Amino acid sequence: MSRDRSRGVRSPSHQPYVLTCRYRTEQKDYEQCLTWIKPSFLWMMYRCGWGEKADQETVLAVEIDRDGFDWALRQACLSHFDPDEHPDRGAWQRELRGSPARVQWDPERDLRLRPLSYRSLQLGLSGEASRRYADEWTVAIRDVTPLAREIRARVRSGEAAAAAALLPEERPYPAPEGTPGLGRVS
């Protein structure tokens, strides 16, 4: 999900799905760690280096239920203190401790993974939200590693138009009222 003033909030086609990297580490209790939903394909490619970073070689598209995604957004707080949204740092810290989800807005990326002028949503899940994501909201999981590698190969060989044609479709997504930081991203 990304946002700019002219294009609005965006997410992949169909129900929102999540791009994630599979880490080759010991299995963790998902209720104790943060799971990050990254609905922007290119932002995820930036994060995992097109699936070439160590321990991030597998890229999965996880389709999740829209009601679950919206629930997480409604329960979320910003991942950082913002004096325009919080009366003081202590209030933000209390909200963060009590929230099962957090929102972070990072610069969207182009095909060469350079930052763009607008931002993409990253949604971190913990506790109840992480459990619901794993047990209730997941609709489908697809390995998109081959797609990531094909797009990257075309970018490297100078075939930007061909690479762009392979990108998953992303379209406006109606974020629920009250999504943290939504009014400030540009």
Side-chain angles (χ1 to χ4, degrees):
M1 179 184 299
S2 50
R3 178 168 177 94
D4 72 22
R5 293 183 198 278
S6 63
R7 296 196 294 174
V9 176
R10 309 191 70 74
S11 76
S13 60
H14 313 299
Q15 298 287 326
Y17 69 93
V18 182
L19 294 166
T20 187
C21 290
R22 183 177 69 197
Y23 296 89
R24 291 180 299 166
T25 59
E26 293 180 28
Q27 186 173 353
K28 296 180 182 177
D29 178 358
Y30 63 73
E31 299 241 355
Q32 302 302 316
C33 61
L34 210 53
T35 298
W36 285 95
I37 295 176
K38 297 165 177 25
S40 163
F41 184 85
L42 287 174
W43 200 95
M44 187 61 217
M45 295 304 99
Y46 165 73
R47 175 65 179 88
C48 72
W50 297 99
E52 295 176 350
K53 287 185 179 178
D55 297 327
Q56 299 181 48
E57 294 91 352
T58 302
V59 184
L60 303 175
V62 181
E63 184 179 338
I64 64 172
D65 177 78
R66 180 179 180 149
D67 290 337
F69 188 75
D70 287 349
W71 180 91
L73 286 175
R74 285 191 304 273
Q75 306 304 313
C77 71
L78 282 176
S79 64
H80 64 279
F81 172 68
D82 182 340
D84 292 333
E85 295 219 9
H86 308 99
D88 56 56
R89 189 169 294 278
W92 165 73
Q93 289 172 333
R94 285 186 297 281
E95 183 182 354
L96 187 65
R97 277 192 300 274
S99 174
R102 49 199 67 165
V103 166
Q104 183 171 309
W105 295 92
D106 295 315
E108 179 56 85
R109 301 293 165 156
D110 67 12
L111 272 171
R112 298 207 175 273
L113 307 183
R114 297 173 297 210
L116 295 171
S117 63
Y118 57 98
R119 296 185 172 269
S120 287
L121 175 112
Q122 317 305 317
L123 180 61
L125 306 177
S126 65
E128 179 184 4
S130 191
R131 182 197 55 76
R132 286 182 172 199
Y133 165 73
D135 296 340
E136 300 170 18
W137 303 339
T138 299
V139 174
I141 301 173
R142 290 181 294 116
D143 183 350
V144 294
T145 307
L147 175 64
R149 291 184 179 149
E150 182 176 355
I151 293 171
R152 177 63 173 142
R154 293 190 184 222
V155 169
R156 283 183 176 156
S157 67
E159 301 173 63
L166 294 172
L167 291 172
E169 177 188 356
E170 294 182 352
R171 64 178 190 230
Y173 182 84
E177 187 68 31
T179 298
L182 185 62
R184 295 180 39 95
V185 294
S186 58

